[in-house]
Amino acid sequence: MIKKTVENVREACAGIEDGMTFMLGGFGLCGIPENIIGELVRRNVKDITCISNNAGVDDFGLGLLLKKHQIRKMISSYVGENAEFERQMLSGEMEVELIPQGTLAQRCEAARSGIPAFFTPAGYGTEVAEGKESREFHGKMHVMEKAFEADFSFVKAWKGDEAGNLIFKGTARNFNPAMCGAGKITVAEVEELVPAGTLDPNHIHIPGIFVQRIFKGERYEKRIEQRTVRKR
Amino acid sequence: MALSKEQIAQRIAKEVKDGYYVNLGIGIPTLVANFVRGDISVEFQSENGILGMGPFPFEGEEDADLINAGKQTITALPGASFFDSAMSFGMIRGQHVDLTILGAMEVSQNGDIANWKIPGKLVKGMGGAMDLVASAENIIVAMMHTNREGESKLLKSCSLPLTGVKCVKKIVSNLAVLEIIDGKFHLLERAPGVSVEEIKQATEGDLVIDGEIPEMNL
């Protein structure tokens, strides 16, 4: 067994520097690496490029990095629900690249899997395709998209073991698996960290080979963005 | 009378057939789930990673790890499954999802759709809409026929940045059900009490009216 555990979030984030590109898992506030985001805020790392489907809300998730002007560029598919984000985008303080959600996921997966580029029909004929190569396959036009290049992938899983094997819960899975192994170093924070041999290998979602560092998050707020309920 | 948002959803629900996997967009499309017949088997896909999406949870049973693409808390029905975003869009691009229902700001008579950006105004992003419209075989657009100023949203060509080209085949608006065939809107049904003349007035694009147009059955 190759051990991937580190003591805490500080050790997990060793080597991060200004100007780096980070991938961060999560959909809205669901399944985001809360403890790592807290550490990025604490270290005040600047000029970062974030690849993340969304940008958090004003006072939680990536919104915390935005507030301190730590983000130079965001690559996302949807960035509503965040007033500070809008302000920085419209004033030009921050660069924003909006791309189709499936393309975002596939560019992560491609980076992990050694596929430098791929063709997708998404965005053909729109401004997303401008400046990109397009080709016809099976009578339909497709756009060439490239794998991401990132320094770190920061992901959140439900359970993990010392070997870095990960299991996700519910829709908190989202972009986390595709980002594992997509950055040069993948750091996973988990709610439960168990000894190797505890998790059934049949139930592992992401094998430890894609994870370099794993730690148990100190606390999880797991904020709900839209609390919707029905009457009994 | 023009249809309410609920009635648009109710009319679209009739297009959902037994055995369909369906992706519902945010807004009116989300309401469609409330009107699908109880005697057919349908599974709803939410692109953030669930098939077999159920209704909102009972109060006190919300789970922060279980949301839909609109970030609302939801439940999972028996037979549901979770998966990651890459697989989710594999389902969509690979045309395993039978029906996509989404909203639009504008639709053109050749089937182009615009629903993600108003230049100079707030830009929130396309989310999964570009992947959905580029791949789905069967797309139904739920929309208002005109904007607040009364201007048509069914146009000869879209004025807003496009989400996808030549992809919309069917539209259910507050005034009518229309199909796009050979670069023209074809009027299929009228909202109860809405005249063909009113629909003509509200449609800027070319509108084909073939014979008697029935009122829709809700």
Side-chain angles (χ1 to χ4, degrees), chain B residues 2-14 28 32 35 141-145 172-175 216 218:
Chain B
L3 301 185
S4 66
K5 287 181 178 177
E6 282 72 20
Q7 287 172 314
I8 294 175
Q10 201 176 343
R11 175 60 190 82
I12 291 175
K14 287 179 176 294
I28 300 174
V32 172
F35 298 103
V141 168
M143 67 190 295
M144 292 296 161
H145 214 101
V172 178
S173 78
N174 54 329
L175 301 183
M216 56 179 95
L218 288 174

Side-chain angles (χ1 to χ4, degrees), chain A residues 103-152:
Chain A
T103 298
L104 200 160
Q106 200 59 36
R107 288 178 69 185
C108 295
E109 182 121 328
R112 187 257 296 294
S113 313
I115 304 286
F118 57 91
F119 283 89
T120 173
Y124 177 75
T126 75
E127 59 183 57
V128 163
E130 282 169 20
K132 292 175 185 165
E133 186 183 332
S134 52
R135 266 171 81 172
E136 188 185 311
F137 296 96
H138 309 299
K140 187 169 172 169
M141 292 306 292
H142 294 73
V143 184
M144 190 174 82
E145 296 283 0
K146 291 178 181 166
F148 283 126
E149 288 178 49
D151 297 293
F152 279 85

Side-chain angles (χ1 to χ4, degrees), chain A:
Chain A
M1 195 262 297
I2 300 170
K3 209 169 165 178
K4 305 292 174 65
T5 46
V6 291
E7 269 313 298
N8 50 39
V9 69
R10 294 189 182 199
E11 216 178 290
C13 292
I16 60 167
E17 286 172 21
D18 290 354
M20 280 185 165
T21 297
F22 300 151
M23 288 180 171
L24 294 110
F27 187 99
L29 300 178
C30 182
I32 57 172
E34 293 184 25
N35 291 272
I36 292 167
I37 291 170
E39 178 66 6
L40 298 179
V41 172
R42 196 191 66 79
R43 291 204 190 194
N44 201 21
V45 52
K46 297 274 193 194
D47 290 322
I48 54 180
T49 296
C50 287
I51 298 165
S52 171
N53 189 54
N54 314 90
V57 295
D58 279 326
D59 59 346
F60 199 57
L62 290 183
L64 299 169
L65 295 174
L66 280 166
K67 213 192 293 185
K68 289 183 70 189
H69 295 88
Q70 292 175 256
I71 302 176
R72 185 186 63 78
K73 182 178 180 183
M74 273 303 303
I75 301 174
S76 303
S77 87
Y78 190 82
V79 294
E81 23 269 354
N82 190 322
E84 176 60 15
F85 186 97
E86 281 165 39
R87 198 195 60 73
Q88 290 189 24
M89 177 167 69
L90 294 171
S91 70
E93 287 166 58
M94 178 183 49
E95 197 186 327
V96 179
E97 187 182 340
L98 292 168
I99 61 175
Q101 196 171 121
T103 298
L104 200 160
Q106 200 59 36
R107 288 178 69 185
C108 295
E109 182 121 328
R112 187 257 296 294
S113 313
I115 304 286
F118 57 91
F119 283 89
T120 173
Y124 177 75
T126 75
E127 59 183 57
V128 163
E130 282 169 20
K132 292 175 185 165
E133 186 183 332
S134 52
R135 266 171 81 172
E136 188 185 311
F137 296 96
H138 309 299
K140 187 169 172 169
M141 292 306 292
H142 294 73
V143 184
M144 190 174 82
E145 296 283 0
K146 291 178 181 166
F148 283 126
E149 288 178 49
D151 297 293
F152 279 85
S153 290
F154 294 125
V155 303
K156 151 82 190 351
W158 177 32
K159 293 179 184 175
D161 68 13
E162 295 169 293
N165 296 308
L166 302 177
I167 296 176
F168 302 89
K169 181 168 167 268
T171 55
R173 195 183 309 193
N174 57 63
F175 285 85
N176 287 297
M179 288 179 176
C180 288
K184 287 182 193 131
I185 296 174
T186 296
V187 183
E189 59 170 84
V190 295
E191 289 175 55
E192 270 181 63
L193 183 60
V194 298
T198 313
L199 302 177
D200 182 342
N202 286 303
H203 295 166
I204 303 293
H205 292 137
I206 285 291
I209 191 170
F210 295 124
V211 176
Q212 279 67 51
R213 303 171 191 169
I214 186 168
F215 71 100
K216 182 180 181 307
E218 213 164 271
R219 58 181 291 269
Y220 286 97
E221 187 175 331
K222 290 213 203 173
R223 205 185 282 189
I224 291 174
E225 224 165 311
Q226 307 278 344
R227 189 177 298 273
T228 43
V229 295
R230 70 187 141 133
K231 292 248 182 306
R232 272 178 204 280

Side-chain angles (χ1 to χ4, degrees), chain B:
Chain B
M1 269 279 284
L3 301 185
S4 66
K5 287 181 178 177
E6 282 72 20
Q7 287 172 314
I8 294 175
Q10 201 176 343
R11 175 60 190 82
I12 291 175
K14 287 179 176 294
E15 306 285 324
V16 179
K17 305 282 190 284
D18 191 31
Y20 269 16
Y21 290 103
V22 183
N23 180 288
L24 301 176
I26 295 167
I28 300 174
T30 306
L31 303 173
V32 172
N34 302 332
F35 298 103
V36 173
R37 277 163 49 191
D39 61 338
I40 60 172
S41 303
V42 173
E43 278 194 28
F44 291 105
Q45 195 244 25
S46 195
E47 63 267 25
N48 58 315
I50 176 173
L51 258 176
M53 175 170 52
F56 296 151
F58 290 120
E59 207 168 341
E61 291 176 6
E62 311 93 286
D63 179 354
D65 292 329
L66 189 43
I67 63 167
N68 63 17
K71 285 113 183 171
Q72 297 170 312
T73 46
I74 50 157
T75 53
L77 293 173
S81 56
F82 301 120
F83 36 86
D84 72 274
S85 301
M87 185 179 282
S88 179
F89 282 92
M91 283 174 201
I92 290 164
R93 283 191 308 265
Q95 300 183 338
H96 305 284
V97 176
D98 301 289
L99 174 63
T100 290
I101 302 168
L102 78 176
M105 295 172 184
E106 292 177 349
V107 171
S108 78
Q109 62 193 29
N110 70 349
D112 294 352
I113 177 171
N115 71 353
W116 75 283
K117 185 178 186 182
I118 303 174
K121 285 198 189 165
L122 177 60
V123 179
K124 286 181 187 274
M126 65 291 280
M130 283 193 183
D131 308 271
L132 283 159
V133 301
S135 303
E137 281 285 307
N138 197 358
I139 300 173
I140 299 177
V141 168
M143 67 190 295
M144 292 296 161
H145 214 101
T146 54
N147 64 20
R148 287 202 183 94
E149 283 73 47
E151 296 158 341
S152 182
K153 294 163 76 170
L154 278 67
L155 307 168
K156 287 193 194 309
S157 67
C158 293
S159 64
L160 295 169
L162 296 179
T163 307
V165 293
K166 293 183 184 163
C167 52
V168 177
K169 300 204 175 68
K170 200 164 209 173
I171 300 160
V172 178
S173 78
N174 54 329
L175 301 183
V177 179
L178 308 103
E179 216 164 24
I180 293 176
I181 306 164
D182 296 333
K184 287 190 169 103
F185 294 112
H186 288 244
L187 183 58
L188 300 183
E189 298 171 22
R190 303 174 284 123
V194 172
S195 68
V196 168
E197 194 51 39
E198 282 173 76
I199 297 164
K200 252 190 197 166
Q201 289 300 321
T203 309
E204 191 242 26
D206 295 337
L207 183 66
V208 177
I209 300 154
D210 197 6
E212 204 53 29
I213 306 298
E215 274 192 2
M216 56 179 95
N217 213 335
L218 288 174

